Amino acid sequence: MNALETQAKIQYHLDEIQQLTSNLTKAANPVALVPVSQLEAIKEVVCQFYRLPANVMSSRIRTDAYSIARHAYMWLARELTEFTLLDIGASMRADMSHGTVLHGCANIANRMDGEKAFANIMNQLKAASEARLKLQP
């Protein structure tokens, strides 16, 4: 993949995130949303962005697409809520340890430090998650 293709792919993802954010903030009747926990709201945003079913968050499949989505969820949950690492892990799978969540958060943080485009995507995803959390009753 050359630099032009990479830039086009990044722009495509940024456009998707902006559309997701605008859709969440333009909800006609926010009170009509089904009340969900903060962690479930973040999980919905991540799954919608990555176009993955919600059960991916609790699966043990280690493909890049699934693990990046799970790690993004962990990082966002840690950044946007006051839940413990153990709580975040338990929201995904009963046997997920705090160390696994810490590892996922560290992976996202390290990748954000090294890849500006990825950091931009994660920050847009964070903004979309924040917008979704504000819509909660």
Side-chain angles (χ1 to χ4, degrees), residues 55-118:
N55 65 351
V56 165
M57 293 299 172
S58 61
S59 76
R60 295 180 186 272
I61 299 171
R62 295 186 178 193
T63 60
D64 280 347
Y66 289 6
S67 63
I68 291 291
R70 283 194 296 266
H71 291 173
Y73 165 73
M74 293 172 192
W75 180 79
L76 289 165
R78 188 171 185 202
E79 289 285 312
L80 299 177
T81 70
E82 294 184 13
F83 286 100
T84 66
L85 296 173
L86 198 55
D87 291 336
I88 295 167
S91 74
M92 299 173 73
R93 221 177 34 240
D95 64 343
M96 188 173 289
S97 73
H98 74 283
T100 303
V101 176
L102 193 59
H103 171 76
C105 294
N107 279 348
I108 294 294
N110 290 339
R111 191 164 172 195
M112 287 175 69
D113 287 342
E115 300 176 38
K116 187 175 182 177
F118 183 76

Side-chain angles (χ1 to χ4, degrees), residues 8-97:
K9 188 175 181 181
I10 291 169
Q11 186 58 48
Y12 173 76
H13 283 297
L14 291 176
D15 292 343
E16 278 188 332
I17 292 170
Q18 288 169 344
Q19 182 181 5
L20 175 64
T21 305
S22 72
N23 288 346
L24 289 173
T25 56
K26 291 180 183 176
N29 187 4
V31 178
L33 293 174
V34 176
V36 294
S37 76
Q38 291 178 319
L39 295 175
E40 288 298 317
I42 294 169
K43 195 180 295 185
E44 286 175 6
V45 172
V46 171
C47 288
Q48 184 177 0
F49 173 73
Y50 285 104
R51 293 188 173 113
L52 297 172
N55 65 351
V56 165
M57 293 299 172
S58 61
S59 76
R60 295 180 186 272
I61 299 171
R62 295 186 178 193
T63 60
D64 280 347
Y66 289 6
S67 63
I68 291 291
R70 283 194 296 266
H71 291 173
Y73 165 73
M74 293 172 192
W75 180 79
L76 289 165
R78 188 171 185 202
E79 289 285 312
L80 299 177
T81 70
E82 294 184 13
F83 286 100
T84 66
L85 296 173
L86 198 55
D87 291 336
I88 295 167
S91 74
M92 299 173 73
R93 221 177 34 240
D95 64 343
M96 188 173 289
S97 73

Side-chain angles (χ1 to χ4, degrees), residues 112-128:
M112 287 175 69
D113 287 342
E115 300 176 38
K116 187 175 182 177
F118 183 76
N120 195 13
I121 289 170
M122 289 305 299
N123 287 327
Q124 291 288 330
L125 195 52
K126 183 177 178 180

